[in-house]
Amino acid sequence: MTQSDVTASTGGSETATPTRSSRAERNAAAAADLDRSRGGFAANPASAVQLAEIEEVDPSTIFQRDGAGFPDWLSANLDRLAKELGVSGLREVGRFTADLLAQTDRGRRVAIMSHLEPSDHLHLGQMITFAAGLDVSAVVWIATRIGEEHRAVLDWLNQHGDDDVRFFGIELRLLRIGDSQPGASFHVEARPNDWQKVIKQRQRVGSPLNTRMREF
């Protein structure tokens, strides 16, 4: 082997080495950038998921203080109320004062009394008057809050009253998420004692119902 051969061999080696080093440096730099990006994401996880605040809205800011306008909205959204009550559909068939008279798919009449304030004795008396003066299968009382004493009266009426008339106490809540339009939700606070059994029984196709458990 001559000196020139050694020199040529060494020179070739020296030429290849920087190429491998440059590739390794580039890989290391890319890995460092990836680690930095991961570290930045982990340091601020809240930037990936943001949840808006849920705010409860006073119904009087949407509807008038006396509830004017609410029956119209409710008439167009009776399917939502029917879902909460567990009945087979509701549609408006008439009105009395500022309230609705509805009917289920099975022809049962339901009186709906809306009172967009906390429950009180005056409206409790009106609800009972509606039950006595109208040929209805149920009376639904909608308020922003059903007080404990009024819930107790509704429970007593469902327990000791005629099985032909049922009483429901519903709380209406308006909720807004961020800057969105408020949405309405119904919460059943008082219902007939056996109503849950009625709903479960109704879901079993062909299952008979006794007198107390018959559906609307």
Side-chain angles (χ1 to χ4, degrees), residues 147-186:
E148 289 295 332
E149 68 277 20
H150 302 130
R151 182 183 293 108
V153 173
L154 295 175
D155 291 341
W156 186 89
L157 289 171
N158 284 320
Q159 183 177 358
H160 296 90
D162 192 335
D163 291 342
D164 289 337
V165 182
R166 297 176 171 90
F167 295 88
F168 293 86
I170 308 291
E171 287 187 350
L172 171 71
R173 297 173 190 169
L174 301 183
L175 303 175
R176 174 187 288 124
I177 300 177
D179 296 329
S180 67
Q181 291 291 328
S185 63
F186 298 106

Side-chain angles (χ1 to χ4, degrees):
M1 181 180 297
T2 64
Q3 181 65 34
S4 60
D5 294 334
V6 174
T7 302
S9 174
T10 304
S13 175
E14 291 174 352
T15 302
T17 300
T19 302
R20 290 194 297 269
S21 298
S22 297
R23 184 179 297 112
E25 289 172 358
R26 288 196 299 270
N27 291 340
D33 291 340
L34 181 60
D35 289 341
R36 282 194 296 270
S37 64
R38 288 174 176 173
F41 178 79
N44 190 19
S47 62
V49 178
Q50 296 185 4
L51 301 178
E53 294 288 336
I54 298 178
E55 175 190 6
E56 188 159 1
V57 180
D58 184 353
S60 65
T61 63
I62 306 299
F63 304 102
Q64 297 181 22
R65 190 68 179 177
D66 59 357
F70 179 73
D72 293 330
W73 178 89
L74 183 60
S75 176
N77 292 272
L78 282 174
D79 56 331
R80 298 172 60 179
L81 179 60
K83 181 179 179 180
E84 292 300 321
L85 296 177
V87 302
S88 56
L90 278 177
R91 66 181 184 279
E92 181 184 353
V93 295
R95 298 200 180 190
F96 48 99
T97 65
D99 304 286
L100 298 178
L101 185 62
Q103 184 172 292
T104 70
D105 291 343
R106 292 175 176 258
R108 306 285 185 177
R109 287 156 56 95
V110 180
I112 303 174
M113 183 184 72
S114 58
H115 174 223
L116 300 188
E117 292 182 354
S119 60
D120 56 29
H121 296 336
L122 174 63
H123 289 86
L124 174 64
Q126 290 181 359
M127 182 200 63
I128 296 175
T129 301
F130 291 153
L134 298 171
D135 181 19
V136 296
S137 295
V139 178
V140 178
W141 184 11
I142 300 176
T144 58
R145 186 179 65 84
I146 303 295
E148 289 295 332
E149 68 277 20
H150 302 130
R151 182 183 293 108
V153 173
L154 295 175
D155 291 341
W156 186 89
L157 289 171
N158 284 320
Q159 183 177 358
H160 296 90
D162 192 335
D163 291 342
D164 289 337
V165 182
R166 297 176 171 90
F167 295 88
F168 293 86
I170 308 291
E171 287 187 350
L172 171 71
R173 297 173 190 169
L174 301 183
L175 303 175
R176 174 187 288 124
I177 300 177
D179 296 329
S180 67
Q181 291 291 328
S185 63
F186 298 106
H187 298 263
V188 181
E189 297 296 324
R191 57 166 60 90
N193 299 331
D194 292 335
W195 191 244
Q196 292 299 333
K197 295 180 181 179
V198 172
I199 302 306
K200 292 180 180 178
Q201 194 84 349
R202 180 171 61 85
Q203 292 172 349
R204 302 191 188 113
V205 177
S207 180
L209 301 178
N210 60 27
T211 301
R212 182 169 179 76
M213 289 185 177
R214 70 178 181 275
E215 186 192 355
F216 278 174

